[in-house]
Amino acid sequence: RLCHGRPFSSPSEPKVNISLLSGFLGSGKTTLLSELLQNKGGLRVGVVVNDVAQVNIDAKLIRERSSSGIRTKSGEGVDFVELENGCACCNASDELMACIMQLQEMSKARNSRFDRIVIEMSGVGEPKNIRREFQEALRDGHPIFDEAQLSTMITVVDSPHFFDLYSARNDVADREELIGGEERAVERYDDMASIEVERKVVDLLVEQVECADHIVLNK
């Protein structure tokens, strides 16, 4: 049985489970994450986010910056690490692994393990690519997997607008009102020919749903 904020002990200690939270922009991922952190029932949670300022929690957070330059914040029973590039995606996989490692170092410094690590992806993040990056890093023996494992992929669906978006013929990069100006040039690469191709909104929506272990229907 896992105990809350349990100290480090033997190498046989169960690994910390990592949950990947995805969903199109406006689906309610950040709201769900805020609710989770406000009702975590004493569990100690590590979180990787794009912008911690958007996560509305009551706990007073202390901003810090690690020796490696990674931005962190800490509160009661929760530690945040912010992605410098503002996106958990395949192009930032090295940074994502570094953020998870930073959380592990923060928990070791307190001698108190996390009960769960949650990664909030950007609205245009591709969970299939992130899962593949985790699998490849595991095969390569990345040290974060000595203590953690990807266990759950959760997708939040904006129920009232899902079928409108599903029926759209637009590319993700065409939807500035959805992806924002900073992410205007969203692109992906063809897995077979490494050719830059455009990503359709419907393709991204389908991928986010198909990759999920759990689907949360919002609104």
Side-chain angles (χ1 to χ4, degrees):
R1 181 183 177 88
L2 302 181
C3 58
H4 301 342
R6 59 196 184 282
F8 287 87
S9 53
S10 68
S12 60
E13 187 79 21
K15 293 185 177 182
V16 177
N17 288 324
I18 299 174
S19 294
L20 191 66
L21 182 61
S22 65
F24 209 62
L25 286 181
S27 62
K29 297 185 305 298
T30 303
T31 301
L32 177 63
L33 179 59
S34 299
E35 289 291 327
L36 182 153
L37 296 177
Q38 291 179 16
N39 300 279
K40 53 187 173 60
L43 295 177
R44 183 160 192 83
V45 182
V47 186
V48 179
V49 292
N50 301 314
D51 183 3
V52 70
Q54 296 182 9
V55 182
N56 180 25
I57 63 172
D58 295 331
K60 182 179 180 181
L61 299 178
I62 301 174
R63 179 181 290 272
E64 299 175 345
R65 185 176 287 270
S66 70
S67 58
S68 60
I70 296 176
R71 293 172 297 180
T72 67
K73 285 188 176 182
S74 298
E76 184 177 352
V78 58
D79 289 309
F80 289 91
V81 172
E82 291 182 335
L83 287 160
E84 192 73 27
N85 291 332
C87 176
C89 60
C90 57
N91 293 331
S93 59
D94 289 342
E95 183 188 0
L96 179 57
M97 298 300 169
C99 286
I100 297 172
M101 184 171 292
Q102 178 63 39
L103 283 173
Q104 292 175 335
E105 291 175 358
M106 293 167 72
S107 68
K108 287 179 180 178
R110 297 186 182 87
N111 193 32
S112 179
R113 292 167 56 95
F114 290 116
D115 296 289
R116 174 77 57 170
I117 292 175
V118 180
I119 301 171
E120 182 191 14
M121 297 185 62
S122 75
V124 293
E126 300 174 331
K128 181 170 64 175
N129 286 341
I130 295 295
R131 182 178 61 191
R132 184 177 65 240
E133 292 294 333
F134 269 85
Q135 292 170 342
E136 291 177 356
L138 177 61
R139 287 196 297 268
D140 292 341
H142 197 289
I144 69 168
F145 296 107
D146 292 341
E147 301 168 6
Q149 61 185 358
L150 179 62
S151 66
T152 311
M153 301 184 70
I154 304 166
T155 294
V156 183
V157 172
D158 183 2
S159 301
H161 302 107
F162 180 83
F163 287 105
D164 289 337
L165 293 170
Y166 182 85
S167 302
R169 298 179 180 272
N170 305 75
D171 299 327
V172 173
D174 293 334
R175 302 296 295 269
E176 185 173 2
E177 75 278 12
L178 294 174
I179 66 174
E182 293 182 357
E183 296 176 344
R184 179 71 174 170
V186 175
E187 296 164 343
R188 66 185 279 272
Y189 287 85
D190 183 271
D191 292 335
M192 298 299 293
S194 297
I195 299 173
E196 193 173 283
V197 295
E198 297 174 332
R199 191 78 199 264
K200 298 293 185 184
V201 169
V202 62
D203 293 338
L204 178 58
L205 288 175
V206 169
E207 176 181 322
Q208 290 177 342
V209 170
E210 287 184 339
C211 287
D213 300 306
H214 302 281
I215 296 173
V216 178
L217 301 179
N218 196 17
K219 302 175 185 177

